[in-house]
Amino acid sequence: MIFNADEAHNIVKECIENVLGKADYNQNKVNQWTAAIVEQSLTHLVKLGKTYKYIVTCAVMQRSGAGLHTASSCFWDTTTDGTCTVRWENRTMNCIVNVFAVAIIL
Amino acid sequence: MGCLRSAAAGGGRRMAAGNAEAVGRPASPGRPRGGSQHAAKPPPLLSRRNSILSRRSSFGMVAGSRRPSIGPWMLHRHVSFSGLPIFQPILKTRLENTYRMGPDKGCKFDAERVQRVLEGTLACALETTVYSAQGSAPLVQSLTELLQNQAKEVVPPRYKLVCHVVLGQQGQQSLVVASRGLWDPETDSFASATFSNASLFAVATVYGVYFE
């Protein structure tokens, strides 16, 4: 059972578009947005019905010319577990979402 | 006919020469030739290999001669009745069932301990670092590997780890990092730490998932 990264990519992209869509960066709403993105992504991933534990991370940053790097390192079974990263941006903000899927052996 | 005889003789001579070589050489290949004082015992494998090769060459070259007693089937361990070698299937090791439902008592993911480790490592590694666009990409990759290795030492066995680091330039912008997991809350957890100096900031998170 291999993790299907393309499927996860599409799901997450849809969720981001739904939440952030045409909005501009707003300090007051950012917490709400990140929580919504993460929750919606997780719900849709669970609906796939696969025996995986999921970890979804979302980072939203205001576009001000500063640089941002993210990296991740995982200690797991490479044959069954996998990850997927989605980058999205608009005029005023950047959004990076990571999905980590860890398999459950039944 | 003449050439055939000489070929057979050549094979025989080669065999004798091979054995002589084996006798003359010292027992272990690592020992220097000049310094050996003991009686040299020929390595048995070497002489046997030579003898098989010379016998094979004589078998190949001499057509219509008497078949030697040892044929090609002796080179393989298992042979079927037709004379073809049987290749053993590669056995995949199957692990025994551990009948384990969850981690041992007192062996769970200790979030506080991992957080302390993360904070310490971040402070050590990034204390004097200055943000640079080219240098930060490899820096953050090596940082995740370092944090993962540190976390592996304090985390109990049968835990899978995911280590995630966000590193950015210190400017006038704001950043929010959120995450949510779908797991077993009794066994799985996470730990996170942040660090910032005048030119950069870093957010590190380690998720520990129990391997069922």
Side-chain angles (χ1 to χ4, degrees):
Chain A
M1 181 180 52
I2 307 176
F3 176 62
N4 190 346
D6 294 323
E7 221 177 357
H9 190 104
N10 293 333
I11 289 172
V12 169
K13 204 155 179 199
E14 235 184 85
C15 292
I16 302 177
E17 299 276 340
N18 277 339
V19 176
L20 294 181
K22 312 260 184 214
D24 280 344
Y25 187 83
N26 186 339
Q27 174 71 18
N28 302 324
K29 291 198 189 156
V30 162
N31 278 329
Q32 250 178 328
W33 286 337
T34 48
I37 290 172
V38 157
E39 256 184 71
Q40 276 187 29
S41 308
L42 209 48
T43 321
H44 282 102
L45 285 167
V46 163
K47 281 190 190 158
L48 294 173
K50 301 203 176 147
T51 51
Y52 276 106
K53 289 183 180 176
Y54 294 103
I55 297 166
V56 179
T57 322
C58 170
V60 173
M61 189 172 92
Q62 195 179 12
R63 278 183 87 156
S64 68
L68 181 78
H69 297 266
T70 68
S72 59
S73 161
C74 309
F75 179 62
W76 58 25
D77 184 350
T78 48
T79 52
T80 54
D81 308 329
T83 173
C84 163
T85 310
V86 180
R87 279 167 287 272
W88 182 94
E89 62 182 18
N90 74 4
R91 209 176 43 91
T92 49
M93 52 186 170
N94 285 317
C95 176
I96 300 180
V97 177
N98 284 307
V99 175
F100 303 100
V102 178
I104 303 174
I105 312 293
L106 296 169
Chain B
M1 269 293 135
C3 60
L4 289 173
R5 236 183 286 127
S6 66
R13 226 185 292 131
R14 223 176 296 134
M15 178 158 54
N19 277 337
E21 266 176 41
V23 166
R25 209 173 291 175
S28 70
R31 217 178 289 165
R33 297 202 173 195
S36 170
Q37 300 264 331
H38 317 284
K41 200 177 162 195
L45 193 62
L46 202 60
S47 57
R48 195 172 75 214
R49 201 190 299 144
N50 277 342
S51 58
I52 284 177
L53 279 174
S54 59
R55 222 176 271 134
R56 269 184 81 187
S57 59
S58 65
F59 171 74
M61 280 200 284
V62 178
S65 68
R66 207 184 46 188
R67 249 182 95 151
S69 52
I70 295 176
W73 54 267
M74 262 301 277
L75 295 172
H76 298 275
R77 278 187 193 262
H78 297 276
V79 281
S80 65
F81 63 90
S82 61
L84 297 167
I86 297 173
F87 293 106
Q88 298 289 350
I90 299 167
L91 295 167
K92 208 172 153 184
T93 50
R94 287 180 59 187
L95 298 167
E96 228 178 55
N97 206 336
T98 59
Y99 297 100
R100 209 187 268 254
M101 301 284 280
D104 293 332
K105 284 202 178 121
C107 254
K108 288 204 189 148
F109 186 84
D110 194 346
E112 280 174 22
R113 199 165 167 207
V114 178
Q115 188 180 350
R116 280 199 294 270
V117 166
L118 288 180
E119 278 169 4
T121 318
L122 277 179
C124 263
L126 298 176
E127 218 178 307
T128 52
T129 321
V130 176
Y131 180 86
S132 78
Q134 288 90 20
S136 289
L139 168 68
V140 76
Q141 277 174 2
S142 57
L143 197 58
T144 47
E145 274 166 38
L146 173 67
L147 286 170
Q148 194 188 269
N149 289 330
Q150 301 275 5
K152 255 197 269 187
E153 284 165 27
V154 287
V155 154
R158 290 185 76 84
Y159 267 91
K160 289 183 180 177
L161 293 176
V162 175
C163 173
H164 185 237
V165 173
V166 179
L167 187 122
Q169 192 179 14
Q170 189 84 272
Q172 299 298 320
Q173 83 282 7
S174 87
L175 165 80
V176 176
V177 178
S179 71
R180 191 171 280 243
L182 180 80
W183 54 36
D184 185 355
E186 285 172 32
T187 56
D188 309 328
S189 184
F190 75 99
S192 72
T194 58
F195 170 83
S196 63
N197 68 14
S199 68
L200 55 75
F201 67 89
V203 180
T205 324
V206 169
Y207 305 92
V209 176
Y210 183 71
F211 176 50
E212 292 182 38

